Amino acid sequence: MMFTTLLHVLVVCSLSFYTGPTVEGAHIPVEMGQTATLPCTGVTNPFREWQRLGDDGTPTQLITLYKSGSTTDLQEKSGLDTFNLRGRFTATADDDFIATITNTRESDDGMYQCDSSSGGSIVHELLTYNVPVISGVSPSDTVVQAVGSSITLRCDVTSKPAANVTWSQNGTLRIETGSSLILSDIDYDDSGNYVCTASNGYGTAAERTIQVTVQRKETGTGGLGTGAIVGIVFGVLAFVLITVGLLVYFLVIKKPTCTK
């Protein structure tokens, strides 16, 4: 055991005197909550390690592997706690040394390096994503608006990375983009189905439809309230009924008498 440990230390120390080539690996997208797989392709050496690179390129050890003959020593490092990867980041203790990250989250985004110094290294970029979801629209799914007025249509989109939102009217793509569409001084030609489409390059694009109907302006009632309008209607009806009643009385019931 003491000899194995000493050999391990000697191998690690000897690697620090030579740095092998670094190979650019893959851009690895993974849906948030799913499992990411990071291959250690082409990196050969008895001692290898998985690292998380900081924004400045500084490596932090996650897992190390020393494998020589029947000797296998796989160790988890404190970097797993630094990046909240403990229990989720694992690696196989074999020649492939494949790493996996389970239950991925946004904080897992970044650069991961499988390094062996003298045996070269490979760097992967991990990006977690969520497919776009349109949680709601405003003012509503169905909108009725008067000619000459303005209206703002909006789709509420959640997406990672940020989604590209486009609009179409009755199947024709509009030049406006973004989660809001402003329609000013609208006319009858602005009626129709407006579809907002959100896409971020991952999964299926999300769509929602808002139906807009443009109608003529109300002529107004001179500022009269509902009660006043009802009163006028009843007054007119009463006048008509009284007039008809008087005509019936004088022309039918009370006939004029003739004298000889």
Side-chain angles (χ1 to χ4, degrees):
M1 179 66 181
M2 182 176 179
F3 175 75
T4 301
T5 303
L6 178 60
L7 180 61
H8 185 184
V9 172
L10 290 174
V11 170
V12 173
C13 291
S14 65
L15 293 180
S16 63
F17 293 102
Y18 174 75
T19 301
T22 299
V23 178
E24 182 178 352
H27 172 76
I28 302 176
V30 58
E31 187 171 3
M32 209 172 295
Q34 300 302 309
T35 298
T37 301
L38 309 175
C40 188
T41 308
V43 181
T44 58
N45 200 282
F47 178 80
R48 288 172 288 174
E49 63 182 19
W50 275 105
Q51 306 165 340
R52 172 78 178 263
L53 302 183
D55 295 337
D56 60 354
T58 302
T60 300
Q61 286 184 325
L62 302 175
I63 291 180
T64 62
L65 173 65
Y66 173 71
K67 184 174 176 62
S68 179
S70 60
T71 302
T72 299
D73 183 18
L74 184 70
Q75 296 184 9
E76 294 185 340
K77 299 299 182 178
S78 60
L80 294 173
D81 298 313
T82 303
F83 294 100
N84 296 316
L85 289 167
R86 178 76 65 181
R88 297 188 301 114
F89 189 102
T90 58
T92 59
D94 54 22
D95 292 337
D96 294 328
F97 196 38
I98 298 172
T100 57
I101 306 176
T102 59
N103 191 25
T104 51
R105 57 191 67 164
E106 186 173 359
S107 61
D108 297 334
D109 290 357
M111 310 297 289
Y112 294 82
Q113 177 171 256
C114 181
D115 181 55
S116 69
S117 296
S118 63
S121 62
I122 184 170
V123 179
H124 302 294
E125 180 183 12
L126 180 69
L127 172 67
T128 57
Y129 69 86
N130 276 328
V131 296
V133 174
I134 299 176
S135 57
V137 296
S138 60
S140 63
D141 292 297
T142 303
V143 180
V144 179
Q145 202 76 8
V147 170
S149 63
S150 298
I151 183 174
T152 299
L153 308 180
R154 179 177 177 82
C155 281
D156 297 321
V157 180
T158 56
S159 171
K160 181 184 180 298
N164 177 43
V165 181
T166 59
W167 292 85
S168 63
Q169 177 191 2
N170 298 327
T172 301
L173 186 66
R174 297 178 63 98
I175 61 173
E176 299 94 340
T177 59
S179 58
S180 297
L181 175 65
I182 300 175
L183 304 176
S184 303
D185 192 22
I186 60 176
D187 204 346
Y188 297 110
D189 292 341
D190 294 312
S191 294
N193 292 324
Y194 289 78
V195 178
C196 65
T197 302
S199 60
N200 65 1
Y202 300 103
T204 304
E207 291 185 349
R208 282 287 292 270
T209 300
I210 303 176
Q211 186 181 49
V212 176
T213 301
V214 180
Q215 62 182 15
R216 66 177 184 176
K217 290 183 178 180
E218 296 293 337
T219 56
T221 57
L224 295 177
T226 302
I229 296 173
V230 172
I232 292 173
V233 171
F234 275 105
V236 172
L237 289 176
F239 174 78
V240 171
L241 290 174
I242 292 173
T243 301
V244 171
L246 290 174
L247 289 175
V248 171
Y249 175 77
F250 285 108
L251 297 179
V252 178
I253 299 176
K254 187 178 180 181
K255 293 182 179 180
T257 56
C258 299
T259 55
K260 294 183 179 181

